[in-house]
Each structure stands twice: as C-alpha cells, then as structure tokens.
Amino acid sequence: MQRQKVFFNNDSFWLVAPFKVFDSGTQRSLVTLEDGSNALMITYSSGGSTPGDSYLWHLGPNGLPESYQMWVSIIPIGGLKATWDDWKIMESGAFLPTSHKL
C-alpha cells in the first residue's frame, strides 16, 4: 500500500502542484534570475513522500508557471527542467496543464 501512496503523491503533484504552494510545510521565496526576471522557489519541508525537495518555478507573463527546475532526492540530476504546458480551464473554472516535457 505504501508504494501506491508514493505513486499517487508523485502523479498528483504533476497535475496540481500550483494548488499546493500554500500547503503546511511549504516554504516560498522570490528569486531574481540572471536575466533580471523573477522566479518562485518552493521547498516542501514536510509532507508528501520526499520532504526537502525544492522547485524553482519560472512564471509566464500571465502569472501561470511555465516550467520549473527540480532539486529532488529521487533524481540524481540537480536543476532538471520540466514544463507545464497547454493550460486549459476546466468546467469547474480550475486551470490545469494538459501536458509536460522533461
């Protein structure tokens, strides 16, 4: 059962990470990048399956996250970039990305 929970935590994160930025144990800070733009550093200090993981979110002009770089314990490459693409508005009014690229 524990393995299923780990898979659920990982898969649901890809889908709803933008809705989890205010979860308990989440630290947020603004980072100024070399090009002068801002990004949002998110660190999950507790909860989930891999506490301590950090993500640098690159935001688009509309405020939605376009991509993020990961520093996570289960991937040996630091700063690996992934995207959130093709945002759609669901019937409920929620914005969700419909594809990702690593």
Side-chain angles (χ1 to χ4, degrees):
M1 188 63 82
Q2 179 62 22
R3 189 176 172 132
Q4 291 172 333
K5 182 178 179 183
V6 170
F7 289 147
F8 173 81
N9 287 344
N10 183 65
D11 292 347
S12 64
F13 177 81
W14 280 93
L15 180 64
V16 297
F19 299 98
K20 300 180 71 52
V21 296
F22 294 104
D23 282 1
S24 177
T26 303
Q27 300 169 348
R28 298 161 303 283
S29 60
L30 280 178
V31 174
T32 302
L33 303 176
E34 289 180 10
D35 67 1
S37 65
N38 288 323
L40 183 63
M41 178 63 80
I42 305 290
T43 299
Y44 297 95
S45 58
S46 65
S49 301
T50 54
D53 289 354
S54 293
Y55 301 82
L56 182 65
W57 293 16
H58 299 269
L59 306 175
N62 59 5
L64 293 174
E66 293 182 339
S67 65
Y68 58 92
Q69 291 170 262
M70 299 182 263
W71 288 267
V72 297
S73 59
I74 62 171
I75 298 175
I77 302 169
L80 182 64
K81 187 175 180 179
T83 66
W84 282 299
D85 296 307
D86 304 317
W87 288 84
K88 302 261 189 272
I89 301 174
M90 303 294 118
E91 270 187 53
S92 66
F95 286 80
L96 292 176
T98 59
S99 66
H100 303 284
K101 295 179 190 124
L102 279 172

